[in-house]
Structure formats: C-alpha cells, structure tokens
Amino acid sequence: MNTPSHLILNLALLRRPVAPAMTWPILIGALIPDAALFIFYGWARAQGLPEQTIWGEAYYSDFWQAMFAVGNSMPLGLLGVALGYAFRRVWAGPWIGFVGASMVLHHLSDLPLHHDDAHQHFWPLSSFRLISPVSYYDSDHFGLLGATVELVLVLAATAYLLPRLNSVLSKGLLGAMALVTIAGYFALQIRPLV
Ligand SMILES: [Zn+2]
C-alpha cells in the first residue's frame, strides 16, 4: 500500500474515541515501515541514479533489502505491543504499544498487496517473503484490483474519520491525503486503460 493510505487506515482503526486519542503514536507507527524507503530514495537521487536503476536494481540490493526488513519486521512491532502492555502504567508505555500496534497493522495491510516487492515481514526470525498474487499497483499482478481495494478502504476510512477529527488543520490534511490517493488512482490505474 501507499504510505498515505497506511496513515489514514491506521488512524481510522486504532485511534481512541476518548483522550488521549494516541494520534501521534499511530502516525509514527504507520510511517516506520516505509521510513527506510524514503531515506533510500533520497540517497539514490543524491547519487544521481536514474529512476529505472533505483527501482529495478538498487532497491533489490542486499544492503537496502536488509534496511527495509527492519521497519517491516512484525516481530519488532509485536515487541512494541508487548513492551507497551508491560509498561502500560508508565506514561511512555501506551505510546510504545500504539506505535507497535500501528506498525503491525501496516505490515498486515501490506501482506496481501505486495508481489515481487514483498517485504521480509518475519525478520529477524526468517527471511520468508509472502509473494501475494495481487499487487497494489502492478498491472502484471492484478494491480487494478489491488489499487481499487486500497482506494475503497481509504475512502471509507476518510468518511469515518472526517467528522471525528477536531481541528480544521487535521481535517484539511486528511482530505488532502485522500485526494492524493484518488488522483494517484486515476493517473496510474485508470488513465492507462483509456
Ligand atoms: Zn508498507
């Protein structure tokens, strides 16, 4: 899934209806699995690599695959949940717990939607990758189906969240992210069909 989709979905599913809503730990946990990807892309652009080399070669290098495995580790996310529970009476406990839970939710929503770019979700216990037949973007692997499922989930989560957010700023940011998802869907999935 795309990063903004994870932010919206995780917020809709994990945000608590009463204070503390845990908005920040949820957003941070939703971002962690993709963080290495942003660093990788910044590094690759700084090296002057062409897009094709970035996503076709550098992305699959042993070093970067190892980096991606850390944030995509379900055992690490579950460790966060366990630590959060163990230290739930300390102020940082619930924070760590929600960061971990949001990481795991990100991993679970990536599992059925990644084909040849599948992550090592069981690192460091195993380097197994679940190669799903459906990709969230790749037209060679039911990308239209994957992208449509992602879009529907994002729209439902946005409709649920919008009336529940307090500030105009957060409503605006949520709306903007949903619009980016819709625009991306039409640009990458619908335009090539017509
Ligand atoms: Zn991801």
Side-chain angles (χ1 to χ4, degrees):
M1 273 194 186
N2 294 294
T3 309
S5 308
H6 287 296
L7 297 178
I8 296 173
L9 271 187
N10 287 17
L11 217 48
L13 288 170
L14 295 174
R15 193 172 179 274
R16 289 151 34 108
V18 287
M22 289 288 156
T23 301
W24 281 107
I26 294 166
L27 291 178
I28 292 167
L31 273 174
I32 287 176
D34 290 344
L37 199 65
F38 290 111
I39 298 169
F40 159 74
Y41 189 65
W43 165 85
R45 290 301 300 256
Q47 300 291 309
L49 298 182
E51 291 289 319
Q52 215 168 356
T53 316
I54 293 177
W55 300 114
E57 288 173 35
Y59 177 87
Y60 293 100
S61 71
D62 288 345
F63 174 79
W64 283 107
Q65 284 298 310
M67 290 294 114
F68 301 147
V70 180
N72 282 294
S73 164
M74 274 196 208
L76 268 188
L78 290 171
L79 179 69
V81 175
L83 282 175
Y85 185 74
F87 294 101
R88 63 191 178 282
R89 311 225 182 281
V90 188
W91 74 267
W95 256 74
I96 298 168
F98 272 84
V99 169
S102 187
M103 282 174 70
V104 174
L105 188 57
H106 180 141
H107 305 148
L108 290 175
S109 35
D110 272 352
L111 266 179
L113 292 172
H114 281 251
H115 182 75
D116 40 24
D117 54 357
H119 301 296
Q120 300 173 55
H121 283 302
F122 304 96
W123 184 90
L125 306 177
S126 157
S127 56
F128 173 78
R129 294 165 203 263
L130 186 107
I131 307 293
S132 167
V134 182
S135 160
Y136 69 107
Y137 68 92
D138 190 347
S139 55
D140 290 340
H141 303 287
F142 305 104
L144 181 60
L145 171 69
T148 306
V149 168
E150 179 172 330
L151 179 72
V152 168
L153 289 174
V154 165
L155 292 181
T158 304
Y160 168 82
L161 272 174
L162 264 182
R164 288 172 171 80
L165 295 182
N166 305 320
S167 76
V168 179
L169 179 66
S170 48
K171 282 178 201 264
L173 284 173
L174 173 64
M177 281 199 294
L179 284 177
V180 167
T181 307
I182 297 169
Y185 179 77
F186 279 97
L188 298 172
Q189 300 297 334
I190 302 302
R191 234 187 75 200
L193 297 178
V194 294

